[in-house]
């Protein structure tokens, strides 16, 4: 605390009371201010990680839907989606249950993450319809993601994204 | 904290008042900043629901597309089941239902938004169909919701066109219909074959009660070489004869396609037979051939039936094509 005060000769200094009052006022203010700053930092961190969760969720859904739309030969193994993409590559999308990250594999191997480590994918479900020949419907794939930020304090704030894609390659 | 305070001797206590004023101004300013932060937290909630809503709106469009393609696969008019109005559909719906103004439910066990089970969400989805033009379906998928006193909506719009060439109402694959017969009776032509997958409709025939040969054929020529995903057909033909001399009758049916000027038989589509005495007829039943064939320029269905007997009064023959449909890729 810097005080730029100009005192006159007659005043010898502050009284004790004045000093006490000034200091306690200052302390109160500092406590309030620093508390608020700490809270603000936490809020900021939460906001950033929530935004990351939204972005990761929507980006991974976008990536999967784009590939599924032009793919064919869909099947499920457990909760993993397998299909052949427009390049003729066998693709698998799955949730890695130990890292809570969505992974994409090519030819049943070479699994690479498509979501970031600062978000947690709690659930990834695929629902498949019309994938069989002769069922009269084109393949219809529904993707549902439950995603939350990877910060312990706000882990329980989760968002459920769902979308459906109809494959453009018609079967019968 | 810098305090630039000047006070005079006579004004004691001025420091306290001034600092109280200064601090409260600072606090008000800081409160504004912190308020902004907590508002950004609640705005994040709005943003997040907008992400969810846009995905749900896209789902509405995709379900519609799926149902249109199902019409194609099942050889129905491309826009069957799409009348103008407001509808609802869940991720697993096999047709559009009239809009019931329902909230989507979220089933946290199966992890899916639907209308059957789970907790209500604050999202409502309505799929609006506009089909003023028979060759176009305009789909608007709207997701509406209200949170924290604000009402929001996400609208997705798509236009689907009848680019595969069959038009609404079940008529319109342009067919060349040939109906020849050889006898005194009239052959009956029911006009161009239609693309409707409805085998019960009698499409075209040729018959001759006193004649001895019935032929019906239907050819469709594509404007450009086309990949055919599947072909569906049903035909029947036969003949009958009486009299004293040759009593044989026979039939012959097939489906052909032309690639680069050469006609090929569609595998499994050739049916022929005959008998030395009496009558013969054959009905192919409903057959769907669903192996893609590339660069097809024409499709032809042909049915022929004949009674050979010399006693024309007791001879008869018939040939019918009930259906010849195709799905182009």
């Amino acid at each position: 605390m810097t005080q730029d005060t100009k005192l006159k000769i007659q005043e010898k200094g502050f009284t004790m009371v004045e000093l006490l009052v000034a200091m306690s006022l200052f302390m109160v203010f500092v406590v309030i201010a620093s508390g608020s700053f700490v809270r603000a930092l936490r809020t900021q961190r939460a906001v950033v990680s929530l935004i990351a969760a939204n972005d990761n969720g929507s980006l991974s859904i976008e990536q999967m839907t784009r590939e599924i739309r032009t793919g064919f030969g869909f099947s499920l193994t457990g909760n993993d989606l397998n299909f052949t993409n427009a390049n003729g590559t066998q693709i698998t999308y799955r949730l890695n249950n130990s890292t809570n990250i969505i992974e994409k594999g090519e030819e049943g191997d070479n699994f690479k993450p498509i979501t970031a480590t600062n978000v947690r994918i709690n659930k990834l479900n695929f629902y498949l319809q019309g994938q069989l020949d002769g069922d009269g419907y084109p393949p219809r794939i529904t993707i549902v993601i439950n995603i939350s930020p990877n910060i312990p304090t706000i882990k329980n704030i989760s968002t459920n994204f769902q979308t459906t894609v109809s494959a453009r390659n018609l079967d019968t | 904290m810098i305090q630039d305070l000047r006070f005079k001797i006579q004004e004691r206590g001025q420091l306290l008042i001034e600092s109280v004023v200064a601090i409260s101004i600072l606090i008000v300013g800081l409160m504004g900043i912190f308020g902004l932060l907590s508002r950004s937290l609640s705005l994040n909630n709005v943003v997040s629901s907008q992400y969810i809503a846009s995905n749900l709106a896209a789902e509405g469009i995709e379900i519609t597309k799926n149902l249109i393609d199902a019409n194609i696969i099942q050889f129905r008019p491309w826009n069957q089941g799409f009348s103008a109005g407001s509808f609802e559909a869940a991720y697993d719906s096999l047709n559009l239902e009239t809009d019931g103004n329902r909230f989507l439910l979220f089933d946290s066990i199966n992890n899916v938004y639907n209308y059957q089970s789970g907790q209500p969400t604050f999202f409502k989805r309505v799929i609006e169909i506009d089909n003023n033009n028979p060759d176009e379906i305009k789909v608007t998928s709207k997701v509406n919701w209200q949170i924290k006193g604000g009402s929001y909506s996400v609208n997705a719009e798509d236009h689907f066109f009848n680019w595969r060439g069959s038009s609404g109402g079940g008529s319109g694959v342009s067919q060349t219909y040939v109906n020849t017969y050889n006898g005194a009776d009239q052959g009956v032509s029911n006009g161009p074959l239609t693309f409707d997958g409805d085998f019960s409709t009698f499409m075209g025939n040729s018959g001759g009660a006193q004649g001895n040969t019935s032929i019906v054929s239907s050819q469709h020529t594509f404007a450009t070489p086309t990949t055919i995903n599947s072909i569906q057909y049903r035909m029947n033909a036969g003949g009958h004869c009486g009299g004293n001399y040759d009593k044989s009758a026979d039939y012959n049916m097939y489906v052909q396609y032309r690639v680069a000027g050469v006609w090929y038989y569609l595998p499994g589509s050739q049916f022929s037979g005959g008998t030395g005495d009496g009558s013969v007829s054959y009905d192919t039943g409903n057959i769907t051939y669903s192996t893609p064939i590339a660069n097809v320029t024409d499709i032809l269905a042909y049915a022929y039936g004949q009674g050979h007997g010399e006693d024309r009064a007791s001879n008869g023959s018939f040939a019918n094509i009930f259906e010849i449909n195709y799905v182009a890729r």
Side-chain angles (χ1 to χ4, degrees):
Chain A
M1 167 166 147
T2 311
Q3 283 186 327
D4 182 16
T5 52
K6 294 185 186 92
L7 308 172
K8 296 193 175 160
I9 310 155
Q10 293 88 338
E11 298 199 357
K12 292 273 163 29
F14 297 112
T15 65
M16 203 62 194
V17 174
E18 272 176 341
L19 207 61
L20 269 176
V21 167
M23 281 182 72
S24 48
L25 257 178
F26 176 72
M27 290 303 287
V28 165
F29 176 71
V30 164
V31 166
I32 291 174
S34 56
S36 313
F37 270 118
V38 168
R39 245 202 348 265
L41 281 175
R42 268 199 207 129
T43 314
Q44 158 77 2
R45 211 152 60 105
V47 167
V48 167
S49 56
L50 283 169
I51 290 171
N54 283 337
D55 288 348
N56 271 277
S58 106
L59 195 68
S60 54
I61 281 198
E62 180 71 20
Q63 179 179 346
M64 288 188 278
T65 51
R66 272 174 183 260
E67 200 161 20
I68 288 168
R69 195 169 280 127
T70 51
F72 56 93
F74 296 91
S75 69
L76 285 178
T77 24
N79 262 337
D80 305 350
L81 179 71
N82 309 301
F83 63 99
T84 309
N85 72 5
N87 281 339
T89 312
Q90 179 72 33
I91 299 292
T92 303
Y93 280 110
R94 71 174 188 193
L95 174 64
N96 185 324
N97 283 314
S98 55
T99 57
N100 289 94
I101 281 175
I102 300 179
E103 293 179 334
K104 173 188 172 180
E106 293 184 354
E107 307 293 352
D109 194 20
N110 200 15
F111 283 91
K112 288 182 177 144
I114 65 164
T115 54
T117 47
N118 61 346
V119 295
R120 234 182 107 81
I121 311 291
N122 303 308
K123 286 180 189 171
L124 170 69
N125 287 78
F126 295 105
Y127 294 98
L128 202 48
Q129 274 182 279
Q131 78 276 24
L132 301 174
D133 271 351
D135 58 16
Y137 286 84
R140 190 195 289 189
I141 300 94
T142 302
I143 310 169
V144 199
I145 290 183
N146 179 289
I147 190 168
S148 57
N150 207 357
I151 291 180
T153 47
I154 50 169
K155 231 178 208 171
N156 56 343
I157 303 179
S158 66
T159 313
N160 295 302
F161 291 107
Q162 173 178 323
T163 201
T164 295
V165 206
S166 179
R168 300 302 195 256
N169 245 333
L170 301 190
D171 57 359
T172 57
Chain B
M1 170 169 134
I2 297 165
Q3 285 185 327
D4 181 14
L5 304 172
R6 293 183 189 91
F7 53 88
K8 294 174 182 167
I9 314 155
Q10 297 86 341
E11 302 186 1
R12 305 190 68 101
Q14 189 76 351
L15 173 67
L16 189 61
I17 294 166
E18 281 186 2
S19 56
V20 163
V21 169
I23 288 170
S24 26
I25 288 172
L26 272 173
I27 286 178
V28 167
L30 283 174
M31 290 297 266
I33 293 169
F34 298 143
L36 198 67
L37 266 173
S38 65
R39 178 147 170 71
S40 78
L41 200 61
S42 66
L43 268 180
N44 187 75
N45 203 1
V46 174
V47 170
S48 155
S49 54
Q50 269 168 351
Y51 271 114
I52 299 171
S54 9
N55 280 310
L56 286 174
E59 177 175 86
I61 299 281
E62 290 287 326
I63 293 168
T64 316
K65 171 67 177 160
N66 193 267
L67 296 176
I68 291 172
D69 284 348
N71 279 338
I72 302 293
I73 289 176
Q74 296 181 29
F75 302 97
R76 295 190 295 242
W78 80 292
N79 56 1
Q80 185 170 310
F82 289 90
S83 47
S86 300
F87 301 92
E88 276 177 356
Y91 77 102
D92 57 350
S93 296
L94 295 183
N95 53 308
L96 298 177
E97 292 167 42
T98 309
D99 179 28
N101 200 28
R102 286 184 291 175
F103 285 103
L104 277 164
L105 310 177
F106 185 75
D107 181 338
S108 52
I109 297 161
N110 296 316
N111 201 31
V112 71
Y113 289 91
N114 65 105
Y115 286 114
Q116 258 74 48
S117 61
Q119 294 297 313
T121 62
F122 39 67
F123 296 106
K124 276 180 188 171
R125 179 173 58 203
V126 55
I127 298 170
E128 287 173 5
I129 305 289
D130 189 349
N131 60 353
N132 285 336
N133 182 340
D135 284 330
E136 179 183 350
I137 296 175
K138 176 187 164 196
V139 184
T140 318
S141 177
K142 295 182 178 172
V143 176
N144 301 302
W145 73 102
Q146 292 187 326
I147 38 167
K148 298 189 170 139
S151 69
Y152 302 85
S153 85
V154 167
N155 296 354
E157 180 178 319
D158 212 334
H159 297 248
F160 296 110
F161 294 90
N162 181 25
W163 59 273
R164 285 176 205 269
S166 69
S167 72
S171 65
V173 177
S174 83
Q175 306 268 5
T176 310
Y177 184 81
V178 183
N179 185 359
T180 59
Y181 56 99
N182 184 10
D185 274 4
Q186 292 291 314
V188 179
S189 163
N190 286 36
L193 295 177
T194 58
F195 186 85
D196 65 353
D198 176 7
F199 285 99
S200 63
T201 314
F202 186 71
M203 287 306 166
N205 82 337
S206 160
Q210 290 181 299
N212 58 8
T213 307
S214 296
I215 300 173
V216 58
S217 71
S218 172
Q219 180 175 348
H220 177 63
T221 302
F222 296 100
T224 55
T226 305
T227 297
I228 301 301
N229 251 14
S230 48
I231 296 176
Q232 184 188 43
Y233 56 91
R234 181 189 165 198
M235 301 176 284
N236 68 14
H240 168 78
C241 62
N244 300 322
Y245 305 101
D246 180 1
K247 288 183 180 179
S248 65
D250 68 315
Y251 62 86
N252 184 23
M253 293 175 281
Y254 55 81
V255 177
Q256 283 185 317
Y257 60 91
R258 183 151 65 170
V259 175
V262 183
W263 285 103
Y264 299 93
Y265 286 104
L266 190 73
S269 74
Q270 286 170 271
F271 305 91
S272 60
T275 179
D277 191 6
S279 64
V280 60
S281 72
Y282 190 76
D283 188 329
T284 65
N286 305 346
I287 295 179
T288 302
Y289 179 78
S290 55
T291 304
I293 310 166
N295 296 317
V296 174
T297 53
D298 304 83
I299 297 177
L300 171 74
Y302 175 88
Y304 159 98
Q306 186 177 30
H308 296 283
E310 291 182 1
D311 180 0
R312 298 214 162 182
S314 60
N315 283 351
S317 69
F318 66 95
N320 297 314
I321 297 176
F322 290 89
E323 198 80 40
I324 171 75
N325 293 324
Y326 65 88
V327 174
R329 178 166 281 175

